[in-house]
Amino acid sequence: MTSLITNTSAAVALQTLRSVNSKLQDTQTRVSTGLRVEKASDNSAYWSIATTMRSDRAAVAAVSDALGLAAAEVDTAYEAMEQTGTVLSQIKAKLAAATENGVDKAKIQDEIAQLVQQTITIANSASFNGVNWLNTDIHDLYEADPKDRSASLVSSFVRNAAGTVKVDMMSLDQIMTSLYNKEGGGILDGDPRSPLTIGGMRGENYVTTDITNDYLADHILSGFAARISNSLPLHITSGQSIPDAMLFSSTDKITFDITLDGDNPSQGLSAPLNPGEPVGVTVNQALVISQLGKASISNATEMSKVLNAAFAGAGIGTDVLATPFWHYPIGAPAYPDPVEYFITTTEQSGLNGSQVQLTNFSSTLNAGTLENANAYGGLGSTMTLDFTPFKIYRDVSLDFTFGVNGEATETQTIDRATINSILGTTDGWINTADDMVTVLKALITRPNTIIEANGSQVLVRSDPLDDRLNGGKTKIGFTNMIVNIEPLPMSGLKAVDVEKNPGMVSAYLASVESMLGRVIDGAATLGSLKNHIEIQTEFANNLFDDISSGIGRLVDADMEEESSRLTALQTQQQLAVQSLSIANSAPGAVLKLFQ
């Protein structure tokens, strides 16, 4: 129906045109922006996700930049550590040359000093963006908490399932790279962490100079067997000569009693004491000829041989021994015949104690008399520790074994926690001999072990009743000492001076070798960190691309589809305009009928 009041067709055509124009505008916007979801009203869920991921993408890009900075810092430190290792190898070679006799140590020291200065220059120069891990200023380097002395580097950006975000960090403990530290303790400064003699548990010759390679592991005190010293001239009259000193006729003889292994009254044993068992010994012409092929004894070697035969004849050949004593070192230009010999218990008799006693000496030779003599050996069950204060650092642990007389031993560990727990402290220091006694009493569980302080010394001993049968064979001591951080450079590289201290060349060499090992370890740590950064950088770049791709899938427009839609909508627009024109012309045609 055609109406002059309401043009229904035109209204429909106009509505169609408006709809087409609206769709066309949306499509043109998607084409111009490239986005299917540009604002929350387009798709609130996708818009929210895309907006969050764009923020994350920006954070990942920042992490990637930070990784680039970290890579530059690590590269700088790594190259410096490698160069330091090369210089230390050169110093090591110079020290090896200095061990040769006749070399000019002054010239070698000049070369070493130049190389040492080069390490200082390398450490000072190993800086990037104000960051230097080789020349540090860390208070109490070895006592500092690792997190306080560590450099932090950005590693990655993480959003977990709960929506919480964080930036992960990777750390570098600068104890691995610090060549020189302002307060000391750097790799080339010398290491303060050695417990040295461990309060006397380790032998005193552990430290003889500022730098040493004498890492003595054991400190064992052995008893000593009783022995009596005699000189051949006791049996010579003033008119006799050495070759005929002791010329035996067929009726000549020497007799005496020897008592072995009686208890020492001064040892502190309760009565009754074992007096030992005396045995008679005889030396005559027949015995001398059987041993020497002649009737005279000319020196201590011959005397010892004859006495040993006499001891065997008396049935104590395994219990006592005569031994010649040489007055001069072997190889001396004028090496005289020995004139002194020892009579020593071998402690094989099974008797208590450690004693040699000569009594009732008689001789038909015109050679004077052998005075009665008595000697006690020393039990090794008392050890004196010359205590010096020492500290157990945070990362140091010491293992040791304690035992007496080869019996079952016990192994203990000393570390910071152990010391602090026993002494009720926090700093790991053992400051006095009394503190050392407290620690050893807490650790050593062997029954009848006596540990006590004596001024600046610590006495460690077993009850004499436990080891009286062992005599001089008794042993007490600390063995298998292992300090987890040794060997250590006991002094710094700057202290090396082969000209002033030529006797310390070997010790310097050991220290430099230890330093070189640490520099290699530090370079290896940096190399591993460098590889980690490269992996993380590649991951960050890939992650950035993946996030971008994911955002695109959510909000990007399909340009091919939108282009086709745009063409279609433009056609629809044209048709709608034409329809509207036609619809508007119909009422005009009706009006003409009334003209």
Side-chain angles (χ1 to χ4, degrees):
M1 172 183 90
T2 301
S3 172
L4 294 176
I5 303 301
T6 302
N7 192 343
T8 304
S9 298
V12 172
L14 180 59
Q15 184 179 3
T16 300
L17 179 59
R18 287 172 178 167
S19 174
V20 170
N21 284 342
S22 176
K23 293 178 181 179
L24 181 60
Q25 183 178 357
D26 290 343
T27 302
Q28 286 174 332
T29 299
R30 288 195 289 269
V31 170
S32 63
T33 62
L35 296 175
R36 178 166 56 92
V37 179
E38 182 182 8
K39 51 188 180 295
S41 58
D42 294 334
N43 186 319
S44 60
Y46 282 7
W47 177 86
S48 176
I49 294 172
T51 301
T52 300
M53 295 309 296
R54 287 192 187 100
S55 176
D56 288 356
R57 183 176 61 181
V60 170
V63 166
S64 182
D65 293 340
L67 285 169
L69 179 61
E73 293 170 353
V74 172
D75 286 344
T76 301
Y78 178 79
E79 293 301 326
M81 290 292 280
E82 274 204 328
Q83 186 61 37
T84 300
T86 300
V87 175
L88 286 178
S89 295
Q90 294 174 1
I91 294 175
K92 179 179 172 182
K94 299 298 181 184
L95 289 171
T99 61
E100 299 178 12
N101 295 327
V103 298
D104 190 337
K105 288 185 172 56
K107 291 182 179 178
I108 291 179
Q109 180 57 37
D110 288 341
E111 294 175 334
I112 290 175
Q114 292 295 325
L115 291 170
V116 171
Q117 184 59 45
Q118 189 173 346
T119 65
I120 297 173
T121 301
I122 291 171
N124 290 337
S125 302
S127 175
F128 185 88
N129 192 33
V131 175
N132 192 326
W133 297 327
L134 276 64
N135 189 8
T136 59
D137 184 6
I138 302 172
H139 173 62
D140 207 356
L141 180 62
Y142 289 103
E143 284 294 275
D145 192 292
K147 70 176 184 298
D148 294 332
R149 71 188 181 203
S150 294
S152 295
L153 304 171
V154 172
S155 174
S156 61
F157 172 82
V158 177
R159 177 184 293 277
N160 61 25
T164 304
V165 298
K166 67 174 181 176
V167 175
D168 279 344
M169 308 294 290
M170 49 189 167
S171 63
L172 170 67
D173 191 341
Q174 292 180 81
I175 205 169
M176 298 296 298
T177 59
S178 176
L179 298 181
Y180 293 104
N181 188 57
K182 188 174 182 180
E183 291 185 6
I187 295 172
L188 306 185
D189 283 326
D191 198 318
R193 293 177 295 165
S194 172
L196 303 179
T197 65
I198 317 172
M201 287 172 57
R202 185 155 49 180
E204 288 295 333
N205 60 333
Y206 172 73
V207 180
T208 55
T209 57
D210 289 339
I211 305 174
T212 179
N213 62 345
D214 181 16
Y215 294 96
L216 183 64
D218 298 341
H219 189 185
I220 302 175
L221 182 67
S222 298
F224 56 89
R227 67 181 184 180
I228 293 175
S229 174
N230 281 286
S231 298
L232 191 61
L234 276 174
H235 307 282
I236 303 173
T237 62
S238 60
Q240 289 179 303
S241 61
I242 291 293
D244 297 321
M246 298 182 68
L247 179 61
F248 287 76
S249 68
S250 59
T251 58
D252 283 330
K253 64 179 180 179
I254 297 173
T255 61
F256 57 89
D257 291 334
I258 184 167
T259 302
L260 298 177
D261 296 341
D263 279 328
N264 186 351
S266 66
Q267 187 179 338
L269 298 173
S270 301
L273 301 180
N274 190 325
E277 296 181 6
V279 176
V281 179
T282 299
V283 177
N284 55 29
Q285 184 189 63
L287 181 65
V288 173
I289 292 175
S290 69
Q291 297 300 310
L292 305 179
K294 59 178 182 175
S296 63
I297 300 175
S298 303
N299 56 50
T301 300
E302 294 179 352
M303 185 68 177
S304 298
K305 187 174 182 179
V306 171
L307 285 176
N308 285 330
F311 296 151
I316 56 172
T318 61
D319 302 333
V320 65
L321 179 68
T323 308
F325 175 73
W326 300 95
H327 288 273
Y328 295 89
I330 294 175
Y335 193 74
D337 288 334
V339 294
E340 189 174 3
Y341 56 92
F342 294 135
I343 299 174
T344 309
T345 175
T346 62
E347 297 173 341
Q348 302 295 323
S349 65
L351 301 173
N352 291 338
S354 175
Q355 178 199 38
V356 176
Q357 184 179 39
L358 298 183
T359 57
N360 301 324
F361 178 82
S362 174
S363 173
T364 61
L365 297 174
N366 183 22
T369 61
L370 176 63
E371 297 178 356
N372 294 338
N374 185 22
Y376 288 99
L379 298 181
S381 57
T382 299
M383 170 175 280
T384 300
L385 309 182
D386 293 322
F387 176 80
T388 52
F390 66 103
K391 177 180 181 179
I392 298 295
Y393 277 73
R394 192 187 302 273
D395 56 349
V396 174
S397 64
L398 160 69
D399 295 328
F400 70 91
T401 298
F402 175 79
V404 178
N405 293 338
E407 64 187 19
T409 57
E410 56 179 303
T411 298
Q412 300 289 350
T413 297
I414 295 178
D415 55 21
R416 170 66 68 84
T418 301
I419 296 299
N420 290 344
S421 174
I422 293 172
L423 298 179
T425 56
T426 59
D427 58 5
W429 271 101
I430 302 179
N431 289 299
T432 66
D434 289 328
D435 287 344
M436 188 69 176
V437 169
T438 300
V439 170
L440 291 179
K441 280 185 174 180
L443 295 176
I444 294 175
T445 62
R446 180 189 182 274
N448 301 322
T449 300
I450 302 168
I451 306 172
E452 57 190 1
N454 180 22
S456 63
Q457 295 179 326
V458 175
L459 305 180
V460 183
R461 65 180 185 272
S462 62
D463 189 323
L465 288 172
D466 286 350
D467 46 42
R468 64 190 299 201
L469 291 177
N470 294 286
K473 294 182 292 184
T474 301
K475 292 182 179 181
I476 186 172
F478 299 92
T479 60
N480 302 321
M481 294 189 202
I482 301 174
V483 180
N484 64 318
I485 57 171
E486 289 180 344
L488 296 176
M490 305 291 282
S491 187
L493 193 63
K494 298 175 184 177
V496 173
D497 194 327
V498 298
E499 181 181 8
K500 292 182 179 179
N501 306 301
M504 292 175 58
V505 174
S506 295
Y508 289 143
L509 190 59
S511 267
V512 170
E513 179 66 21
S514 178
M515 293 174 187
L516 180 58
R518 292 191 183 187
V519 167
I520 292 172
D521 289 342
T525 298
L526 289 169
S528 177
L529 189 59
K530 180 179 179 180
N531 186 55
H532 184 189
I533 290 173
E534 290 175 353
I535 293 173
Q536 285 300 115
T537 300
E538 183 178 359
F539 172 73
N541 292 336
N542 291 339
L543 183 60
F544 183 91
D545 293 340
D546 290 342
I547 291 175
S548 297
S549 177
I551 293 172
R553 291 190 182 95
L554 292 176
V555 301
D556 285 358
D558 185 338
M559 296 307 291
E560 292 179 354
E561 180 181 340
E562 297 300 333
S563 178
S564 299
R565 182 178 289 113
L566 180 61
T567 301
L569 288 171
Q570 287 173 341
T571 302
Q572 289 179 28
Q573 183 186 47
Q574 292 173 3
L575 292 174
V577 170
Q578 292 175 4
S579 297
L580 180 60
S581 176
I582 293 171
N584 285 331
S585 65
V590 173
L591 288 173
K592 287 181 180 181
L593 296 175
F594 298 97
Q595 292 179 353

